Amino acid sequence: MDKSSALEYINQMFPTEASLSGVEPLMQKIHSEIRRVDSGILSAVRQQSNSRTKAKEDLAAATHAVEELMYKIREIKSKAEQSETMVQEICRDIKKLDFAKKHITTTITALHRLTMLVSAVEQLQVMASKRQYKEAAAQLEAVNQLCSHFEAYRDIPKITELREKFKNIKQLLKSHVFSDFSSLGTGKETEEANLLQHLSDACLVVDALEPSVREELVNNFCSRELTSYEQIFEGAELAKLDKTERRYAWIKRRIRTNEDTWKIFPPSWHVPYRLCIQFCKKTRKQLEVILDYLKEKPDVGTLLMALQRTREFEDELAEKFGGGTRSREIGNEIEEIGKENSQNVSDIRKKYEKKFAANQGSVPDEKDEIKDLSVPGAGFNFHGIISSCFEPHLIVYIELEQRTLMENLEKLVQEETWDIEEGGQNNVLTSSMQLFLIIKRSLKRCSNLTKNQTLLNLFKVFERILKAYATKLKARLPKGGMGIVAAATGMDGQIKTSDRDERVICFIVNSAEYCQITVSQFLCLLLLSSFVLFAFVYLPYHFVGRSICKGQKKLNLQKNNTNHNSLSKVFLFFPYSLTS
C-alpha cells in the first residue's frame, strides 16, 4: 500500500480528534492479526518441509518398483524365447512326421489304384477278346475313372505302357462292335436270337467310348441302310420323276419294318432321325440329277405331283422329329383376303405389320443359338431339304398358271354384264371379285408347293394379269369425245354421259377401289409370310368419293357434268408397277 493510500485509510478510520481514542484497540487488533498470519506461515513452512521429504521417499519407491518390473519383463521375455525355441523344435519333428505320413498315404493310394488299374485293364482285355460287351462297358467306365487319377504321371513308363494298352483295347472293342453291327440288317438277327441283345450291349460299349465312335457308327449304319436305296433308285426303271412317291414309301416302309429291330439303339442316338436326314440328302442329289438331265421340259402334272408328295413327306418328317409348319397359317391368311374391304389401306397395313412384328419377335436369332443337328428339333429344318431342288424347274408351272389366268380373265370379261343386281350387297363388278377368287386359289396352290422364287414369279404373273384387267376396264369406259381426251390429258374439261354410262363408270370406280384394297392385302401377306419383298412403290390412292348405297347409283359424279380429276385416277388401284 503506498503513502497516499495509508493516509486516506487513517483519515477514514480517524476522521476527528475524538476518534483518536480508538487507536489503542486498533493496534492490538492489528498485532493479533500479525501473530495469526505468522503462525500460519510457520505452519505452512513446516508442512512443506514434511511434504518434500515424503515426495523424495515416494519417488525412490516408484523408481525401485520400475526397476523390479523391468527385471521381471526381461525374465519373462527370456523364458518366452526359450519356449518358442522348444516349440519350434517340437513342430519341426511333427512336420517331418506329417509330410512323411502324407507321402506314404499318397503312395499307398497310388499303388492301390495302380494295382486296380492293372487288374482292370487285364480284365477288360479278356472281356474285349470274348466280346462280353455288357461287362466291358462297366469296366470301361472304371478304367476311364482310374486313368483320370494318373494324369499327373503320364511320363512314367509304367503309366505310359498301361495307357497305350488301354488305347489298343478300346480300338479292339471298336473293331469288334463295328464288325458285329455289320451283320445288322442282313437277316442274321432272325436266325440268331441273342444277336439283338448282343448288339444292344455293344451300344453300351460305344457310349463308354469317345463320342466320335458313336457318330462314326451311326453314320456307317445309315449309309449301309441306304445302300440298297441308292442301288434301287439309281436304276433306269425307278430313276424317274413319276417314281418319286415310291422313294418316300420305301423309307417309310423301311422305318416301319425295322422299328422293333432298331430299338437296340439308345433313344439318345436318334438313329431314325439321322437316317432320315441322310435319306433326304441322297434323294435331293438323285432328283437334281434327274431334273438336270431331262431332255425336254417336264410334264407339269408329273412335276407338281412329285413336288406335292415331296412337301407332304417333309411335313411328316417335321411333325415326327420336331419343327412346325406355317402352311396352314398362310392358307388361312389367303382365305381372309378380300373379306376386309370395309377397311382402308392404312388399317390393313397396320394389321399385317403387327402380325409381321409378332412373327419376327418369335423367331430366335441363329447367331445367338448353338444348334446340335444330331438332336431332333434342335435346329435342322426338314422343310425344303428335298423340295428346294424343284425350284429352278417350276417355270413350266408358272407358264401354265399364266395361261390359265389369262384364259379365265378373258372369259370373265366376256361374261361381265357391266351391271349389278338391285339389292346386291357389293357395288362392284362380278368379274373383279371372281378374278381375285381365282388369284387366291392360284396363290394358295403355289404357297402349298413353294414359298421361294417361284412364288415371286407368280406374283409377277398376277401383276401382268391385273394390268391386263385394268386395260380392259379402261377400254370399257364410255367414249366421251373431247371430254374423255381432256380427262386423260389432265386438261380442264367435262364428260357428258348417259344414265347407263354413268352406272358403268360408278361400277368401274367401285371395282377399282375393291381391287386396290385387295391388292394391298396381297402385298401385306407377302411381307407377313417373310417372302422376298420385291419393289412395290405405293402411290397415294385417290379415289372418287363413293355415296352409292346398296343398289343406288348416286356418286359424286354429277350427271352430264363429271369432273376429269376423278376419272384420271380411276385406275390407280394397283401399285405403280402395274400401271407403268
Side-chain angles (χ1 to χ4, degrees), residues 77-344:
K77 185 177 179 181
S78 176
K79 290 182 179 180
E81 290 175 352
Q82 294 176 3
S83 299
E84 183 180 0
T85 303
M86 185 182 299
V87 170
Q88 287 178 351
E89 292 176 356
I90 294 172
C91 290
R92 187 182 303 115
D93 296 336
I94 292 175
K95 286 182 179 179
K96 290 180 180 178
L97 294 174
D98 186 56
F99 284 136
K101 179 184 176 182
K102 184 178 180 180
H103 292 157
I104 291 173
T105 303
T106 304
T107 303
I108 292 173
T109 303
L111 290 174
H112 180 62
R113 287 173 176 170
L114 180 60
T115 304
M116 293 173 61
L117 178 61
V118 172
S119 175
V121 169
E122 291 176 353
Q123 293 176 14
L124 182 61
Q125 188 172 19
V126 174
M127 295 173 185
S129 60
K130 294 182 179 181
R131 303 195 180 194
Q132 297 175 348
Y133 293 135
K134 188 173 184 180
E135 295 79 4
Q139 197 71 3
L140 268 172
E141 296 287 348
V143 174
N144 282 326
Q145 188 174 2
L146 287 171
C147 284
S148 65
H149 295 295
F150 292 94
E151 286 295 328
Y153 310 102
R154 297 174 67 93
D155 297 332
I156 298 177
K158 182 62 178 178
I159 301 300
T160 304
E161 180 185 349
L162 284 173
R163 291 177 69 89
E164 189 65 27
K165 187 176 182 180
F166 179 47
K167 181 179 178 181
N168 294 333
I169 293 174
K170 290 196 292 184
Q171 191 63 34
L172 178 63
L173 279 171
K174 176 183 174 182
S175 61
H176 285 342
V177 170
F178 277 57
S179 175
D180 291 345
F181 266 99
S182 63
S183 62
L184 184 63
T186 59
K188 291 184 179 181
E189 59 268 17
T190 58
E191 300 174 2
E192 302 179 17
N194 296 329
L195 178 60
L196 293 180
Q197 183 59 43
H198 187 65
L199 294 178
S200 179
D201 296 339
C203 292
L204 301 177
V205 172
V206 174
D207 274 335
L209 295 173
E210 290 79 6
S212 59
V213 177
R214 182 185 64 187
E215 292 295 317
E216 184 179 352
L217 177 63
V218 173
N219 289 334
N220 288 347
F221 169 76
C222 294
S223 299
R224 191 170 59 252
E225 284 290 319
L226 295 176
T227 300
S228 59
Y229 167 74
E230 291 178 329
Q231 294 173 352
I232 293 172
F233 289 93
E234 282 182 352
E237 182 179 353
L238 294 179
K240 298 178 180 179
L241 199 59
D242 56 353
K243 306 296 183 183
T244 303
E245 187 175 2
R246 297 182 62 176
R247 296 173 179 270
Y248 311 133
W250 182 91
I251 187 63
K252 287 189 284 188
R253 183 171 60 252
R254 190 75 176 177
I255 294 175
R256 186 172 57 254
T257 303
N258 297 296
E259 184 176 3
D260 293 335
T261 303
W262 292 349
K263 287 181 179 179
I264 61 172
F265 297 107
S268 59
W269 288 20
H270 308 293
V271 173
Y273 169 75
R274 302 285 295 277
L275 178 66
C276 288
I277 291 178
Q278 287 200 23
F279 169 82
C280 291
K281 292 180 179 179
K282 291 181 182 295
T283 302
R284 176 189 172 88
K285 290 182 179 179
Q286 291 187 357
L287 290 177
E288 284 177 345
V289 172
I290 294 173
L291 291 168
D292 290 340
Y293 286 93
L294 287 175
K295 296 181 180 180
E296 55 185 14
K297 289 185 177 181
D299 178 67
V300 178
T302 303
L303 182 66
L304 294 183
M305 179 60 68
L307 177 57
Q308 181 65 32
R309 294 295 176 262
T310 301
R311 287 295 302 269
E312 291 173 357
F313 177 68
E314 290 172 350
D315 289 342
E316 290 179 13
L317 293 182
E319 183 177 358
K320 181 179 179 64
F321 298 113
T325 176
R326 297 186 64 234
S327 297
R328 293 181 180 178
E329 179 182 344
I330 299 303
N332 294 336
E333 293 292 341
I334 294 173
E335 289 297 328
E336 292 297 322
I337 292 178
K339 297 181 180 180
E340 302 171 344
N341 294 323
S342 59
Q343 302 179 3
N344 56 35

Side-chain angles (χ1 to χ4, degrees), residues 67-84:
E67 290 176 353
E68 288 183 353
L69 179 62
M70 292 298 294
Y71 173 75
K72 290 181 180 180
I73 290 174
R74 285 193 296 270
E75 186 178 358
I76 292 171
K77 185 177 179 181
S78 176
K79 290 182 179 180
E81 290 175 352
Q82 294 176 3
S83 299
E84 183 180 0

